[in-house]
Amino acid sequence: MSIYIGNLSYDATQEDLSAIFSDYGTVKRTQIPVDRETGRSRGFGFVEMSSDEEEESAIEALNGAEWMGRQLRVNKAKPRERRPRNGFNGSERRAARY
């Protein structure tokens, strides 16, 4: 499972995330998605730690904490929802052609 970090400073780097979360255990992976057009951080990120216990400890300690001038929202990441591309699913596109 991974941890979701919301309200992240646009200046935060993956190394910054790794450093702050390493206080609570072993960080396996960090990710900060960037906008395709601007290359700028989207203001949230993900951290994966080596155990559920470490993740729970980090969530408890960091949720609501102020970091880099922002109040973090830290919780378990939810699975990504599948969204249809272009707002339509395949059957709607086929129906629109006729």
Side-chain angles (χ1 to χ4, degrees):
M1 188 58 111
S2 8
I3 300 171
Y4 166 83
I5 303 95
N7 202 32
L8 194 59
S9 169
Y10 294 113
D11 296 326
T13 65
Q14 292 184 172
E15 292 78 18
D16 293 332
L17 278 183
S18 186
I20 192 169
F21 278 83
S22 66
D23 289 344
Y24 305 96
T26 303
V27 175
K28 290 172 53 177
R29 186 174 69 95
T30 61
Q31 178 186 12
I32 298 177
V34 295
D35 183 271
R36 287 183 211 157
E37 293 180 20
T38 65
R40 184 177 122 168
S41 164
R42 294 180 60 200
F44 65 92
F46 300 94
V47 173
E48 188 176 321
M49 300 185 78
S50 62
S51 74
D52 288 341
E53 293 79 21
E54 291 173 348
E55 288 182 357
E56 289 296 330
S57 176
I59 290 169
E60 267 187 48
L62 296 173
N63 188 36
E66 187 171 320
W67 185 59
M68 296 182 83
R70 314 269 322 244
Q71 187 174 3
L72 298 177
R73 287 190 315 268
V74 182
N75 52 43
K76 287 258 187 207
K78 296 177 183 171
R80 187 173 187 177
E81 291 182 16
R82 302 283 287 160
R83 294 188 317 192
R85 293 174 55 134
N86 299 326
F88 296 98
N89 67 26
S91 64
E92 290 171 337
R93 269 187 261 151
R94 282 191 294 273
R97 291 183 194 159
Y98 298 103

